[in-house]
Every structure is written in C-alpha cells, then in structure tokens.
mmCIF file of all heavy atoms in Angstrom:
data_model
loop_
_atom_site.group_PDB
_atom_site.id
_atom_site.type_symbol
_atom_site.label_atom_id
_atom_site.label_comp_id
_atom_site.label_asym_id
_atom_site.label_seq_id
_atom_site.Cartn_x
_atom_site.Cartn_y
_atom_site.Cartn_z
ATOM 1 N N MET A 1127 119.099 147.787 94.782
ATOM 2 C CA MET A 1127 119.262 147.905 93.327
ATOM 3 C C MET A 1127 120.751 148.010 92.992
ATOM 4 O O MET A 1127 121.468 148.779 93.611
ATOM 5 C CB MET A 1127 118.512 149.148 92.826
ATOM 6 C CG MET A 1127 118.509 149.264 91.322
ATOM 7 S SD MET A 1127 117.192 150.327 90.662
ATOM 8 C CE MET A 1127 117.771 151.958 91.096
ATOM 9 N N ASP A 1128 121.185 147.229 92.037
ATOM 10 C CA ASP A 1128 122.586 147.289 91.603
ATOM 11 C C ASP A 1128 122.776 148.396 90.592
ATOM 12 O O ASP A 1128 121.883 148.683 89.813
ATOM 13 C CB ASP A 1128 122.994 145.960 90.947
ATOM 14 C CG ASP A 1128 123.165 144.857 91.969
ATOM 15 O OD1 ASP A 1128 123.416 145.183 93.144
ATOM 16 O OD2 ASP A 1128 123.029 143.690 91.585
ATOM 17 N N ILE A 1129 123.972 148.956 90.641
ATOM 18 C CA ILE A 1129 124.284 150.006 89.677
ATOM 19 C C ILE A 1129 124.627 149.386 88.331
ATOM 20 O O ILE A 1129 125.384 148.417 88.247
ATOM 21 C CB ILE A 1129 125.412 150.929 90.205
ATOM 22 C CG1 ILE A 1129 125.678 152.070 89.237
ATOM 23 C CG2 ILE A 1129 126.702 150.152 90.498
ATOM 24 C CD1 ILE A 1129 126.307 153.275 89.880
ATOM 25 N N LYS A 1130 123.998 149.911 87.291
ATOM 26 C CA LYS A 1130 124.298 149.433 85.928
ATOM 27 C C LYS A 1130 124.884 150.611 85.151
ATOM 28 O O LYS A 1130 124.155 151.405 84.582
ATOM 29 C CB LYS A 1130 123.021 148.921 85.252
ATOM 30 C CG LYS A 1130 122.528 147.640 85.877
ATOM 31 C CD LYS A 1130 121.463 146.976 85.028
ATOM 32 C CE LYS A 1130 121.001 145.674 85.651
ATOM 33 N NZ LYS A 1130 120.272 145.917 86.924
ATOM 34 N N TYR A 1131 126.187 150.665 85.194
ATOM 35 C CA TYR A 1131 126.886 151.760 84.538
ATOM 36 C C TYR A 1131 127.135 151.435 83.083
ATOM 37 O O TYR A 1131 127.530 150.317 82.748
ATOM 38 C CB TYR A 1131 128.218 152.005 85.251
ATOM 39 C CG TYR A 1131 129.019 153.123 84.660
ATOM 40 C CD1 TYR A 1131 128.677 154.445 84.903
ATOM 41 C CD2 TYR A 1131 130.115 152.859 83.856
ATOM 42 C CE1 TYR A 1131 129.400 155.481 84.347
ATOM 43 C CE2 TYR A 1131 130.851 153.885 83.299
ATOM 44 C CZ TYR A 1131 130.493 155.197 83.546
ATOM 45 O OH TYR A 1131 131.208 156.216 82.993
ATOM 46 N N ILE A 1132 126.880 152.396 82.213
ATOM 47 C CA ILE A 1132 127.221 152.224 80.800
ATOM 48 C C ILE A 1132 128.163 153.354 80.386
ATOM 49 O O ILE A 1132 127.994 154.487 80.824
ATOM 50 C CB ILE A 1132 125.971 152.180 79.877
ATOM 51 C CG1 ILE A 1132 125.035 153.382 80.119
ATOM 52 C CG2 ILE A 1132 125.202 150.875 80.057
ATOM 53 C CD1 ILE A 1132 123.973 153.560 79.046
ATOM 54 N N PRO A 1133 129.183 153.049 79.582
ATOM 55 C CA PRO A 1133 130.180 154.058 79.239
ATOM 56 C C PRO A 1133 129.668 155.120 78.269
ATOM 57 O O PRO A 1133 130.299 156.166 78.110
ATOM 58 C CB PRO A 1133 131.327 153.256 78.614
ATOM 59 C CG PRO A 1133 130.749 151.958 78.234
ATOM 60 C CD PRO A 1133 129.552 151.709 79.101
ATOM 61 N N LYS A 1134 128.544 154.869 77.599
ATOM 62 C CA LYS A 1134 128.009 155.857 76.657
ATOM 63 C C LYS A 1134 126.525 156.061 76.962
ATOM 64 O O LYS A 1134 125.700 155.181 76.695
ATOM 65 C CB LYS A 1134 128.207 155.317 75.228
ATOM 66 C CG LYS A 1134 127.783 156.273 74.128
ATOM 67 C CD LYS A 1134 128.922 157.184 73.668
ATOM 68 C CE LYS A 1134 128.480 158.184 72.602
ATOM 69 N NZ LYS A 1134 127.579 159.228 73.105
ATOM 70 N N GLY A 1135 126.208 157.248 77.560
ATOM 71 C CA GLY A 1135 124.819 157.546 77.918
ATOM 72 C C GLY A 1135 124.045 158.137 76.752
ATOM 73 O O GLY A 1135 124.627 158.637 75.801
ATOM 74 N N GLU A 1136 122.728 158.056 76.844
ATOM 75 C CA GLU A 1136 121.873 158.686 75.836
ATOM 76 C C GLU A 1136 122.012 160.198 75.911
ATOM 77 O O GLU A 1136 122.291 160.747 76.972
ATOM 78 C CB GLU A 1136 120.401 158.366 76.126
ATOM 79 C CG GLU A 1136 119.910 157.056 75.575
ATOM 80 C CD GLU A 1136 118.474 156.803 76.028
ATOM 81 O OE1 GLU A 1136 117.621 157.685 75.816
ATOM 82 O OE2 GLU A 1136 118.240 155.739 76.613
ATOM 83 N N GLU A 1137 121.736 160.853 74.808
ATOM 84 C CA GLU A 1137 121.771 162.313 74.740
ATOM 85 C C GLU A 1137 120.863 162.903 75.832
ATOM 86 O O GLU A 1137 119.705 162.516 75.957
ATOM 87 C CB GLU A 1137 121.267 162.730 73.349
ATOM 88 C CG GLU A 1137 121.196 164.213 73.158
ATOM 89 C CD GLU A 1137 122.223 164.737 72.168
ATOM 90 O OE1 GLU A 1137 122.673 163.959 71.317
ATOM 91 O OE2 GLU A 1137 122.549 165.924 72.292
ATOM 92 N N GLY A 1138 121.415 163.820 76.634
ATOM 93 C CA GLY A 1138 120.636 164.467 77.689
ATOM 94 C C GLY A 1138 120.486 163.636 78.949
ATOM 95 O O GLY A 1138 119.880 164.074 79.921
ATOM 96 N N LYS A 1139 121.003 162.405 78.932
ATOM 97 C CA LYS A 1139 120.887 161.530 80.104
ATOM 98 C C LYS A 1139 122.238 160.974 80.517
ATOM 99 O O LYS A 1139 122.338 159.870 81.051
ATOM 100 C CB LYS A 1139 119.952 160.345 79.786
ATOM 101 C CG LYS A 1139 118.485 160.708 79.836
ATOM 102 C CD LYS A 1139 117.680 159.433 79.757
ATOM 103 C CE LYS A 1139 116.238 159.649 80.167
ATOM 104 N NZ LYS A 1139 115.525 158.363 80.251
ATOM 105 N N SER A 1140 123.287 161.739 80.236
ATOM 106 C CA SER A 1140 124.622 161.266 80.593
ATOM 107 C C SER A 1140 125.015 161.826 81.955
ATOM 108 O O SER A 1140 124.340 162.695 82.511
ATOM 109 C CB SER A 1140 125.618 161.674 79.518
ATOM 110 O OG SER A 1140 125.702 163.075 79.464
ATOM 111 N N CYS A 1141 126.110 161.316 82.500
ATOM 112 C CA CYS A 1141 126.595 161.758 83.807
ATOM 113 C C CYS A 1141 126.729 163.282 83.872
ATOM 114 O O CYS A 1141 126.417 163.876 84.902
ATOM 115 C CB CYS A 1141 127.930 161.096 84.110
ATOM 116 S SG CYS A 1141 127.806 159.314 84.338
ATOM 117 N N ALA A 1142 127.152 163.898 82.768
ATOM 118 C CA ALA A 1142 127.319 165.353 82.745
ATOM 119 C C ALA A 1142 126.009 166.082 83.028
ATOM 120 O O ALA A 1142 126.018 167.211 83.504
ATOM 121 C CB ALA A 1142 127.884 165.788 81.393
ATOM 122 N N ASP A 1143 124.880 165.439 82.762
ATOM 123 C CA ASP A 1143 123.557 166.047 82.983
ATOM 124 C C ASP A 1143 122.930 165.616 84.307
ATOM 125 O O ASP A 1143 121.798 165.982 84.621
ATOM 126 C CB ASP A 1143 122.598 165.628 81.849
ATOM 127 C CG ASP A 1143 123.160 165.880 80.473
ATOM 128 O OD1 ASP A 1143 123.507 167.035 80.200
ATOM 129 O OD2 ASP A 1143 123.275 164.931 79.687
ATOM 130 N N CYS A 1144 123.674 164.827 85.065
ATOM 131 C CA CYS A 1144 123.122 164.204 86.282
ATOM 132 C C CYS A 1144 123.493 165.013 87.519
ATOM 133 O O CYS A 1144 124.592 165.564 87.612
ATOM 134 C CB CYS A 1144 123.693 162.799 86.397
ATOM 135 S SG CYS A 1144 123.173 161.921 87.871
ATOM 136 N N LYS A 1145 122.602 165.096 88.463
ATOM 137 C CA LYS A 1145 122.864 165.907 89.660
ATOM 138 C C LYS A 1145 123.907 165.273 90.589
ATOM 139 O O LYS A 1145 124.423 165.959 91.465
ATOM 140 C CB LYS A 1145 121.563 166.198 90.399
ATOM 141 C CG LYS A 1145 120.938 165.049 91.149
ATOM 142 C CD LYS A 1145 119.749 165.589 91.934
ATOM 143 C CE LYS A 1145 119.081 164.515 92.765
ATOM 144 N NZ LYS A 1145 117.860 165.018 93.407
ATOM 145 N N HIS A 1146 124.213 164.015 90.395
ATOM 146 C CA HIS A 1146 125.239 163.362 91.235
ATOM 147 C C HIS A 1146 126.654 163.561 90.702
ATOM 148 O O HIS A 1146 127.617 163.150 91.335
ATOM 149 C CB HIS A 1146 124.963 161.857 91.352
ATOM 150 C CG HIS A 1146 123.630 161.547 91.933
ATOM 151 N ND1 HIS A 1146 123.274 161.901 93.210
ATOM 152 C CD2 HIS A 1146 122.543 160.934 91.398
ATOM 153 C CE1 HIS A 1146 122.034 161.511 93.438
ATOM 154 N NE2 HIS A 1146 121.559 160.928 92.360
ATOM 155 N N PHE A 1147 126.749 164.159 89.505
ATOM 156 C CA PHE A 1147 128.048 164.308 88.855
ATOM 157 C C PHE A 1147 128.768 165.565 89.319
ATOM 158 O O PHE A 1147 128.186 166.639 89.332
ATOM 159 C CB PHE A 1147 127.834 164.368 87.335
ATOM 160 C CG PHE A 1147 129.090 164.431 86.524
ATOM 161 C CD1 PHE A 1147 129.878 163.305 86.369
ATOM 162 C CD2 PHE A 1147 129.473 165.605 85.896
ATOM 163 C CE1 PHE A 1147 131.036 163.343 85.598
ATOM 164 C CE2 PHE A 1147 130.627 165.649 85.131
ATOM 165 C CZ PHE A 1147 131.404 164.520 84.988
ATOM 166 N N GLU A 1148 130.023 165.409 89.706
ATOM 167 C CA GLU A 1148 130.878 166.564 90.021
ATOM 168 C C GLU A 1148 132.007 166.591 89.009
ATOM 169 O O GLU A 1148 132.828 165.674 88.975
ATOM 170 C CB GLU A 1148 131.513 166.403 91.411
ATOM 171 C CG GLU A 1148 130.568 166.628 92.556
ATOM 172 C CD GLU A 1148 131.231 166.226 93.866
ATOM 173 O OE1 GLU A 1148 132.316 166.760 94.176
ATOM 174 O OE2 GLU A 1148 130.675 165.352 94.549
ATOM 175 N N ARG A 1149 132.008 167.628 88.200
ATOM 176 C CA ARG A 1149 133.010 167.744 87.156
ATOM 177 C C ARG A 1149 134.421 167.831 87.757
ATOM 178 O O ARG A 1149 134.624 168.472 88.765
ATOM 179 C CB ARG A 1149 132.709 169.002 86.328
ATOM 180 C CG ARG A 1149 133.410 169.053 85.005
ATOM 181 C CD ARG A 1149 132.804 170.146 84.139
ATOM 182 N NE ARG A 1149 131.481 169.775 83.637
ATOM 183 C CZ ARG A 1149 131.291 168.951 82.612
ATOM 184 N NH1 ARG A 1149 132.304 168.413 81.991
ATOM 185 N NH2 ARG A 1149 130.077 168.663 82.210
ATOM 186 N N ASP A 1150 135.362 167.157 87.107
ATOM 187 C CA ASP A 1150 136.767 167.221 87.518
ATOM 188 C C ASP A 1150 137.452 168.296 86.687
ATOM 189 O O ASP A 1150 137.563 168.166 85.471
ATOM 190 C CB ASP A 1150 137.428 165.856 87.275
ATOM 191 C CG ASP A 1150 138.839 165.797 87.839
ATOM 192 O OD1 ASP A 1150 139.487 166.856 87.931
ATOM 193 O OD2 ASP A 1150 139.282 164.696 88.179
ATOM 194 N N SER A 1151 137.877 169.362 87.349
ATOM 195 C CA SER A 1151 138.460 170.485 86.610
ATOM 196 C C SER A 1151 139.835 170.143 86.037
ATOM 197 O O SER A 1151 140.329 170.815 85.150
ATOM 198 C CB SER A 1151 138.559 171.713 87.511
ATOM 199 O OG SER A 1151 139.198 171.389 88.716
ATOM 200 N N ASN A 1152 140.465 169.099 86.536
ATOM 201 C CA ASN A 1152 141.803 168.717 86.050
ATOM 202 C C ASN A 1152 141.753 167.737 84.889
ATOM 203 O O ASN A 1152 142.695 167.627 84.127
ATOM 204 C CB ASN A 1152 142.615 168.083 87.183
ATOM 205 C CG ASN A 1152 142.777 169.030 88.346
ATOM 206 O OD1 ASN A 1152 143.128 170.177 88.155
ATOM 207 N ND2 ASN A 1152 142.508 168.554 89.536
ATOM 208 N N MET A 1153 140.672 167.010 84.785
ATOM 209 C CA MET A 1153 140.605 165.988 83.743
ATOM 210 C C MET A 1153 139.371 166.159 82.882
ATOM 211 O O MET A 1153 138.229 165.944 83.328
ATOM 212 C CB MET A 1153 140.622 164.599 84.377
ATOM 213 C CG MET A 1153 142.022 164.039 84.441
ATOM 214 S SD MET A 1153 142.009 162.271 84.417
ATOM 215 C CE MET A 1153 141.579 161.957 86.129
ATOM 216 N N GLN A 1154 139.616 166.536 81.645
ATOM 217 C CA GLN A 1154 138.550 166.765 80.677
ATOM 218 C C GLN A 1154 137.725 165.497 80.489
ATOM 219 O O GLN A 1154 138.264 164.407 80.315
ATOM 220 C CB GLN A 1154 139.203 167.174 79.346
ATOM 221 C CG GLN A 1154 138.252 167.655 78.280
ATOM 222 C CD GLN A 1154 137.730 169.056 78.558
ATOM 223 O OE1 GLN A 1154 138.310 169.795 79.344
ATOM 224 N NE2 GLN A 1154 136.637 169.400 77.936
ATOM 225 N N GLY A 1155 136.414 165.651 80.543
ATOM 226 C CA GLY A 1155 135.537 164.514 80.268
ATOM 227 C C GLY A 1155 135.383 163.535 81.415
ATOM 228 O O GLY A 1155 134.761 162.493 81.245
ATOM 229 N N MET A 1156 135.966 163.894 82.577
ATOM 230 C CA MET A 1156 135.856 162.998 83.733
ATOM 231 C C MET A 1156 135.165 163.729 84.873
ATOM 232 O O MET A 1156 135.091 164.949 84.903
ATOM 233 C CB MET A 1156 137.243 162.576 84.225
ATOM 234 C CG MET A 1156 138.058 161.757 83.242
ATOM 235 S SD MET A 1156 137.364 160.128 82.940
ATOM 236 C CE MET A 1156 137.557 159.363 84.554
ATOM 237 N N GLY A 1157 134.695 162.965 85.826
ATOM 238 C CA GLY A 1157 134.093 163.564 87.003
ATOM 239 C C GLY A 1157 133.936 162.538 88.102
ATOM 240 O O GLY A 1157 134.308 161.375 87.930
ATOM 241 N N LYS A 1158 133.373 162.972 89.214
ATOM 242 C CA LYS A 1158 133.171 162.074 90.346
ATOM 243 C C LYS A 1158 131.679 161.869 90.583
ATOM 244 O O LYS A 1158 130.877 162.799 90.498
ATOM 245 C CB LYS A 1158 133.801 162.697 91.597
ATOM 246 C CG LYS A 1158 135.312 162.560 91.589
ATOM 247 C CD LYS A 1158 135.762 161.880 92.874
ATOM 248 C CE LYS A 1158 137.112 161.226 92.703
ATOM 249 N NZ LYS A 1158 138.215 162.134 92.821
ATOM 250 N N CYS A 1159 131.342 160.657 90.908
ATOM 251 C CA CYS A 1159 129.975 160.307 91.285
ATOM 252 C C CYS A 1159 130.068 159.436 92.522
ATOM 253 O O CYS A 1159 130.674 158.356 92.473
ATOM 254 C CB CYS A 1159 129.307 159.552 90.147
ATOM 255 S SG CYS A 1159 127.769 158.796 90.653
ATOM 256 N N PHE A 1160 129.526 159.885 93.638
ATOM 257 C CA PHE A 1160 129.632 159.171 94.913
ATOM 258 C C PHE A 1160 131.065 158.714 95.178
ATOM 259 O O PHE A 1160 131.315 157.583 95.598
ATOM 260 C CB PHE A 1160 128.673 157.974 94.956
ATOM 261 C CG PHE A 1160 127.221 158.361 94.849
ATOM 262 C CD1 PHE A 1160 126.518 158.134 93.672
ATOM 263 C CD2 PHE A 1160 126.553 158.961 95.915
ATOM 264 C CE1 PHE A 1160 125.177 158.497 93.550
ATOM 265 C CE2 PHE A 1160 125.215 159.324 95.814
ATOM 266 C CZ PHE A 1160 124.526 159.094 94.624
ATOM 267 N N GLY A 1161 132.019 159.629 94.869
ATOM 268 C CA GLY A 1161 133.418 159.353 95.158
ATOM 269 C C GLY A 1161 134.144 158.499 94.144
ATOM 270 O O GLY A 1161 135.316 158.192 94.322
ATOM 271 N N LYS A 1162 133.449 158.076 93.092
ATOM 272 C CA LYS A 1162 134.113 157.250 92.067
ATOM 273 C C LYS A 1162 134.304 158.041 90.791
ATOM 274 O O LYS A 1162 133.476 158.857 90.432
ATOM 275 C CB LYS A 1162 133.253 156.019 91.755
ATOM 276 C CG LYS A 1162 133.276 155.004 92.863
ATOM 277 C CD LYS A 1162 132.902 153.652 92.307
ATOM 278 C CE LYS A 1162 132.990 152.603 93.402
ATOM 279 N NZ LYS A 1162 132.492 151.312 92.974
ATOM 280 N N GLU A 1163 135.385 157.732 90.087
ATOM 281 C CA GLU A 1163 135.667 158.369 88.805
ATOM 282 C C GLU A 1163 134.703 157.825 87.757
ATOM 283 O O GLU A 1163 134.565 156.612 87.595
ATOM 284 C CB GLU A 1163 137.091 158.026 88.361
ATOM 285 C CG GLU A 1163 138.178 158.689 89.182
ATOM 286 C CD GLU A 1163 138.564 160.048 88.632
ATOM 287 O OE1 GLU A 1163 138.568 160.203 87.403
ATOM 288 O OE2 GLU A 1163 138.839 160.948 89.444
ATOM 289 N N VAL A 1164 134.042 158.723 87.063
ATOM 290 C CA VAL A 1164 133.160 158.309 85.966
ATOM 291 C C VAL A 1164 133.410 159.199 84.747
ATOM 292 O O VAL A 1164 133.938 160.298 84.863
ATOM 293 C CB VAL A 1164 131.661 158.371 86.364
ATOM 294 C CG1 VAL A 1164 131.318 157.334 87.410
ATOM 295 C CG2 VAL A 1164 131.262 159.769 86.840
ATOM 296 N N LEU A 1165 133.004 158.702 83.601
ATOM 297 C CA LEU A 1165 133.103 159.473 82.366
ATOM 298 C C LEU A 1165 131.897 160.412 82.264
ATOM 299 O O LEU A 1165 130.770 159.998 82.536
ATOM 300 C CB LEU A 1165 133.073 158.529 81.159
ATOM 301 C CG LEU A 1165 134.298 157.657 80.928
ATOM 302 C CD1 LEU A 1165 133.958 156.561 79.922
ATOM 303 C CD2 LEU A 1165 135.457 158.492 80.424
ATOM 304 N N ALA A 1166 132.164 161.650 81.865
ATOM 305 C CA ALA A 1166 131.066 162.620 81.715
ATOM 306 C C ALA A 1166 130.013 162.114 80.725
ATOM 307 O O ALA A 1166 128.830 162.391 80.863
ATOM 308 C CB ALA A 1166 131.614 163.960 81.253
ATOM 309 N N GLY A 1167 130.461 161.346 79.743
ATOM 310 C CA GLY A 1167 129.541 160.843 78.714
ATOM 311 C C GLY A 1167 128.870 159.534 79.060
ATOM 312 O O GLY A 1167 128.065 159.025 78.284
ATOM 313 N N GLY A 1168 129.201 158.973 80.238
ATOM 314 C CA GLY A 1168 128.582 157.717 80.651
ATOM 315 C C GLY A 1168 127.207 157.945 81.249
ATOM 316 O O GLY A 1168 126.688 159.053 81.264
ATOM 317 N N SER A 1169 126.620 156.887 81.757
ATOM 318 C CA SER A 1169 125.326 157.013 82.433
ATOM 319 C C SER A 1169 125.084 155.760 83.255
ATOM 320 O O SER A 1169 125.854 154.794 83.191
ATOM 321 C CB SER A 1169 124.207 157.189 81.405
ATOM 322 O OG SER A 1169 123.013 157.572 82.064
ATOM 323 N N CYS A 1170 124.028 155.797 84.056
ATOM 324 C CA CYS A 1170 123.660 154.606 84.819
ATOM 325 C C CYS A 1170 122.192 154.692 85.195
ATOM 326 O O CYS A 1170 121.516 155.683 84.918
ATOM 327 C CB CYS A 1170 124.535 154.459 86.056
ATOM 328 S SG CYS A 1170 123.931 155.378 87.483
ATOM 329 N N ASN A 1171 121.717 153.641 85.837
ATOM 330 C CA ASN A 1171 120.300 153.565 86.191
ATOM 331 C C ASN A 1171 119.936 154.394 87.426
ATOM 332 O O ASN A 1171 118.786 154.391 87.845
ATOM 333 C CB ASN A 1171 119.886 152.103 86.363
ATOM 334 C CG ASN A 1171 120.773 151.345 87.318
ATOM 335 O OD1 ASN A 1171 121.953 151.647 87.458
ATOM 336 N ND2 ASN A 1171 120.244 150.367 87.995
ATOM 337 N N PHE A 1172 120.899 155.119 87.984
ATOM 338 C CA PHE A 1172 120.598 156.052 89.073
ATOM 339 C C PHE A 1172 120.547 157.496 88.574
ATOM 340 O O PHE A 1172 120.558 158.424 89.375
ATOM 341 C CB PHE A 1172 121.645 155.933 90.193
ATOM 342 C CG PHE A 1172 121.521 154.693 91.007
ATOM 343 C CD1 PHE A 1172 122.248 153.560 90.677
ATOM 344 C CD2 PHE A 1172 120.669 154.643 92.103
ATOM 345 C CE1 PHE A 1172 122.139 152.389 91.421
ATOM 346 C CE2 PHE A 1172 120.552 153.482 92.861
ATOM 347 C CZ PHE A 1172 121.284 152.351 92.514
ATOM 348 N N PHE A 1173 120.518 157.653 87.271
ATOM 349 C CA PHE A 1173 120.515 158.996 86.688
ATOM 350 C C PHE A 1173 119.364 159.836 87.244
ATOM 351 O O PHE A 1173 118.227 159.393 87.300
ATOM 352 C CB PHE A 1173 120.379 158.908 85.160
ATOM 353 C CG PHE A 1173 120.222 160.265 84.516
ATOM 354 C CD1 PHE A 1173 121.339 161.023 84.233
ATOM 355 C CD2 PHE A 1173 118.961 160.780 84.242
ATOM 356 C CE1 PHE A 1173 121.207 162.294 83.656
ATOM 357 C CE2 PHE A 1173 118.822 162.044 83.669
ATOM 358 C CZ PHE A 1173 119.948 162.791 83.383
ATOM 359 N N GLU A 1174 119.707 161.057 87.670
ATOM 360 C CA GLU A 1174 118.680 162.035 88.050
ATOM 361 C C GLU A 1174 119.068 163.372 87.437
ATOM 362 O O GLU A 1174 120.199 163.822 87.632
ATOM 363 C CB GLU A 1174 118.608 162.186 89.571
ATOM 364 C CG GLU A 1174 117.890 161.041 90.252
ATOM 365 C CD GLU A 1174 117.747 161.298 91.745
ATOM 366 O OE1 GLU A 1174 116.885 162.116 92.118
ATOM 367 O OE2 GLU A 1174 118.510 160.715 92.520
ATOM 368 N N PRO A 1175 118.153 163.990 86.720
ATOM 369 C CA PRO A 1175 118.499 165.252 86.055
ATOM 370 C C PRO A 1175 118.863 166.350 87.050
ATOM 371 O O PRO A 1175 118.361 166.364 88.173
ATOM 372 C CB PRO A 1175 117.243 165.616 85.259
ATOM 373 C CG PRO A 1175 116.153 164.782 85.804
ATOM 374 C CD PRO A 1175 116.767 163.587 86.464
ATOM 375 N N LYS A 1176 119.725 167.244 86.626
ATOM 376 C CA LYS A 1176 120.074 168.412 87.451
ATOM 377 C C LYS A 1176 118.851 169.296 87.617
ATOM 378 O O LYS A 1176 118.078 169.453 86.692
ATOM 379 C CB LYS A 1176 121.162 169.218 86.739
ATOM 380 C CG LYS A 1176 122.536 168.671 86.956
ATOM 381 C CD LYS A 1176 123.568 169.643 86.397
ATOM 382 C CE LYS A 1176 124.945 169.026 86.495
ATOM 383 N NZ LYS A 1176 125.748 169.296 85.315
ATOM 384 N N GLU A 1177 118.724 169.895 88.803
ATOM 385 C CA GLU A 1177 117.564 170.781 89.010
ATOM 386 C C GLU A 1177 117.845 172.172 88.477
ATOM 387 O O GLU A 1177 118.971 172.583 88.424
ATOM 388 C CB GLU A 1177 117.211 170.855 90.499
ATOM 389 C CG GLU A 1177 116.314 169.715 90.897
ATOM 390 C CD GLU A 1177 116.855 168.934 92.096
ATOM 391 O OE1 GLU A 1177 117.356 169.558 93.052
ATOM 392 O OE2 GLU A 1177 116.768 167.709 92.065
HETATM 393 S S1 SF4 B 36 124.413 158.561 89.230
HETATM 394 FE FE1 SF4 B 36 124.884 157.453 87.338
HETATM 395 S S2 SF4 B 36 124.342 158.883 85.715
HETATM 396 FE FE2 SF4 B 36 124.573 160.058 87.607
HETATM 397 S S3 SF4 B 36 126.713 160.738 87.637
HETATM 398 FE FE3 SF4 B 36 126.582 158.831 88.747
HETATM 399 S S4 SF4 B 36 127.115 157.241 87.263
HETATM 400 FE FE4 SF4 B 36 126.542 159.082 86.151
#
C-alpha cells in the first residue's frame, strides 16, 4: 500500500492524534512519523488512533 499523505487531516484524524506521531519539541506544529518530518495537522491512510 502506498502512503497517501495529505497536508490537512480531518478533525480528530490528524497526525497529532496518530500513534505513529512523535511531537517535535523544537518545532511547533511539526513531528516525526517513521523518521520523516510531518505536519501535526496532516494525515495519511496509515492513520491509527492513539491508545
Ligand atoms: S501514520 Fe500518517 S497520520 Fe500517522 S503520523 Fe504518520 S503521516 Fe501522520
């Protein structure tokens, strides 16, 4: 399955709500997902909610 990243995720389904997201304490609104820089407000088809 290919990753389909979108820069603006739906409410409650953005990278910030995803268990793969690691918040970047140095950069507001940014984080890491599998080692790549992503926007906290983005989303993709691999979204999984935080437990
Ligand atoms: S898996 Fe997708 S939704 Fe989750 S943090 Fe990574 S890019 Fe965002």
Side-chain angles (χ1 to χ4, degrees):
M1127 186 159 73
D1128 287 336
I1129 183 156
K1130 290 193 179 67
Y1131 180 76
I1132 52 167
K1134 184 90 182 70
E1136 275 175 53
E1137 178 111 24
K1139 282 190 165 187
S1140 64
C1141 293
D1143 308 303
C1144 178
K1145 73 174 182 186
H1146 301 297
F1147 184 74
E1148 286 171 56
R1149 196 167 287 282
D1150 187 332
S1151 51
N1152 301 312
M1153 266 207 281
Q1154 189 75 18
M1156 296 293 294
K1158 284 235 157 81
C1159 168
F1160 298 106
K1162 287 202 177 173
E1163 289 271 324
V1164 292
L1165 289 166
S1169 191
C1170 86
N1171 53 330
F1172 287 93
F1173 174 84
E1174 283 185 76
K1176 278 189 186 140
E1177 275 127 42

